[in-house]
Amino acid sequence: MGNQTSKTTPGPNAKAIFQTMLMSDLHLEFSQQVIPKFPVVASILILAGDIGRPDLPSLQKFLLVQCQRFEHIFYVAGNHCFYEGEYETRLQQLQELNNLHPHIHFLHNQSYLLPFNVRILGTTLWSHVSEEKASAIGVLLNDYHHIWTRGEKLEGDATIQTRRLITVDDTNRWHAQQHAWLLEEISKARKNREHVVIITHHAPSRHHTLPKYNVDLDIDDAFVNDHDADCVDPVRLWMYGHTHASTDLIIKSTRVVSNQLGYAHETTGFRPNLRITLYDDGAYYEKEYVTANFEQLFFSIMLRSSPILLLIFHIIGSVDQEARLIGTHIVYRHGDRTPIFAYSTSSVSASFWHNGFGQLTRRGQLQHIRLGQHLRQRYSRLLNTTYVASELYVRSSDSDRALMSAYSNLVGLYPISKDKLKEKILSNLSNQDEWPELLPWQPIPVHTVPASEDYIMGVSQCPYFFELVEQIQSGEQVRNISNDFQEFFRHLSNWTGSEVNNLFDAWILADAILIEALYNVSGSWADTMTLAKLEQIVGLSFYYLFDSPDTNRLIAGPLIADIWSNIQNLITNQSRGYKTKIYSGHDASIVAVLSFFDANYFHHPPYCATLLFDLYYLPANNSYALKIEYLNSSDSFAGYAIQPPPCSEAMCSIDVLRPWLENRLPKQDMKTECMPRKSSSSMAGIGFNKMYQIDVILISFVFILFPTGSLN
């Protein structure tokens, strides 16, 4: 091959030796993800990771369809392939994809030789995280909260299989192994005079490969590597994904390309008809099958026929007929928190946790800063860059973790540019009437009311709700589930020193144990199987608690009514309508709203889980529509569209939604709605402080769900 330099134009006698299509980050694990139709313009399809999860049918279906269209499909794993599972198990499932069809080639530290001496090298190439950024990335990046790995513990003479979350040390080790393999394969290819094409998920270089917000957050090490030195002969082409920013550049003598779809709300530069061709003289050629640009189209039509200009101007005018976002309502759960309490046999007490029980952690603060940055990016055209009181209103439950989450979120939502930071930003505060422009923070009010008066973010004093909880707990569905778990409950009682008789008892303990496991301080008995069952118990408990129309109406009703009131104000152009209302709450708030719209499922909303109620104006028919999305991950920010029951599509007409919604919302004031229904009940007028008059099981349940009279 010689020492070739990449060039864009092939010579007159050059021969094409390799031609492929490329795409990544399709994220088929999200059921609402829409994949653009793409033509077949090459015989090879390269998938540079994060296509889907191997434990879900969507990935296999996609691959089998493409097998009928392409002769070869080369595929490497992305980080999301391993989410909600064990690294080792998922890797095996990915390798088994090769058995689906002979056209599929999943590559994990593996190579494939094509005609004309083209060598394909495939691996994930996890990024190397520097020591100074390891702490922040370990907190901020969801990989370290949603991917597990196997481990072992010695207990006496026995070796016990355990499961733990991956760490930065794990991904750095994988990076070192995979990079060493790549270097060895490149060396072999050089000796064999082969043309090398590399497929990785993480980027090989940090030059022009990252969206700006990842750099601003100082988490670039989680997405890119510093392997520019490897971009030399015989490496002709290096394709990657992961950054959600498509690129096409030359690094040294190697063409570095990505073609990433990303999440539904993102603009990544994805090209569904991208084709890449390599030639034997070292040139590459790219052709995109797209229409002429607008300027060319305009002048060519203008020269031909003036009547068609009317069509052009009609097309231009039609842009104004598109849906226009005029308001949003954001409901989110607080960030990572400490346990609410310690069970009898726990090895850690309140003093172990920074600020004690039930408090937002540093991890939780950073999670919400990142969510705030995402919201800034998503709503940049709706919100001013500085706080304007008439366009934003923030409401929080009266709990420390929800209030601190709201303030942390606002740091990300209203950031101060890095280049404005100075060493002595507070040096000039002599003018008491002007806010110092260089101060890296904007004071923004967060509103709350005492828990005893709060129906929007909690249930306050609501005896009827607690009556319903008792009924659900003793109902047939929960009793049957509890019976199925009896053997596990006996073990749980022994492990924790706590009495566990039913689903809700186990739920209380699960909350503490799962958090301890997240911080690697749980007992050795909290192995993979135990943690999986506890996660299942939490999901079942939330589901059945709010599956009742009465419970989800009492919890979600006042919150949705408040959102609905602001929507009406925006539609009627009243000055008291806010462009953005934010509600900082708890997991029960999220589940109750999902249940209200018949969209809940067996799960526990993760920290920072977010519901978005976007209000659009439709100029075409002078009407309004609401689109609801659920972001159910702490860092991916990919939304699931929620289709309300009366609507035929996710973009739901306000006129269609109005009668259904008004029929479902509480009909009376909440004090009346919450009056007890039991005729002989002694619960009349009961509040949270008197809940101890109810049976012990319900006391414990209320303690975990309503620790301060508001939602957990």
Side-chain angles (χ1 to χ4, degrees), residues 338-566:
T338 61
I340 301 298
F341 73 105
Y343 50 91
S344 301
T345 62
S346 174
S347 61
V348 294
S349 61
S351 61
F352 172 83
W353 305 102
H354 181 62
N355 287 332
F357 288 135
Q359 295 294 319
L360 192 71
T361 63
R362 177 171 173 264
R363 179 181 296 177
Q365 295 168 23
L366 293 172
Q367 286 171 342
H368 260 287
I369 290 174
R370 189 172 185 201
L371 175 60
Q373 286 219 335
H374 165 71
L375 296 174
R376 163 54 56 189
Q377 184 182 29
R378 179 180 176 120
Y379 297 114
S380 59
R381 295 185 179 181
L382 183 69
L383 283 173
N384 195 52
T385 54
T386 56
Y387 169 66
V388 177
S390 61
E391 72 176 19
L392 175 75
Y393 186 91
V394 185
R395 171 74 180 266
S396 172
S397 76
D398 190 23
S399 70
D400 290 354
R401 58 184 174 273
L403 286 162
M404 291 175 68
S405 292
Y407 287 119
S408 299
N409 192 279
L410 290 168
V411 170
L413 187 59
Y414 289 94
I416 298 296
S417 175
K418 268 190 172 183
D419 57 15
K420 290 185 178 179
L421 300 182
K422 306 293 181 185
E423 290 184 5
K424 298 180 179 179
I425 56 176
L426 299 179
S427 60
N428 185 16
L429 295 179
S430 56
N431 190 339
Q432 297 182 2
D433 295 326
E434 293 183 8
W435 185 259
E437 291 184 3
L438 296 180
L439 191 66
W441 172 71
Q442 299 182 47
I444 298 171
V446 176
H447 303 267
T448 191
V449 299
S452 60
E453 303 171 15
D454 193 0
Y455 291 102
I456 290 179
M457 302 309 297
V459 293
S460 186
Q461 299 184 28
C462 193
Y464 181 44
F465 175 79
F466 298 121
E467 287 182 7
L468 292 170
V469 172
E470 286 187 289
Q471 293 173 18
I472 293 167
Q473 179 182 277
S474 59
E476 183 179 1
Q477 285 179 315
V478 172
R479 281 191 289 107
N480 289 340
I481 293 171
S482 296
N483 289 336
D484 292 339
F485 277 97
Q486 280 306 308
E487 183 178 355
F488 179 71
F489 291 165
R490 284 193 292 273
H491 290 303
L492 195 58
S493 296
N494 293 331
W495 292 328
T496 62
S498 306
E499 187 174 354
V500 184
N501 295 312
N502 59 42
L503 190 67
F504 288 172
D505 285 352
W507 178 12
I508 298 160
L509 292 167
D511 178 82
I513 297 166
L514 289 169
I515 293 174
E516 288 183 352
L518 191 63
Y519 285 86
N520 296 317
V521 291
S522 57
S524 59
W525 46 266
D527 56 15
T528 301
M529 187 66 71
T530 299
L531 295 175
K533 284 191 175 182
L534 291 173
E535 289 168 351
Q536 183 183 10
I537 284 168
V538 174
L540 288 168
S541 300
F542 266 113
Y543 181 85
Y544 284 109
L545 177 63
F546 291 108
D547 192 40
S548 158
D550 289 325
T551 55
N552 67 55
R553 187 186 76 252
L554 290 172
I555 303 301
L559 173 57
I560 295 170
D562 194 74
I563 292 172
W564 185 247
S565 175
N566 191 63

Side-chain angles (χ1 to χ4, degrees), residues 276 595 616 656:
I276 303 166
S595 297
Y616 289 89
V656 172

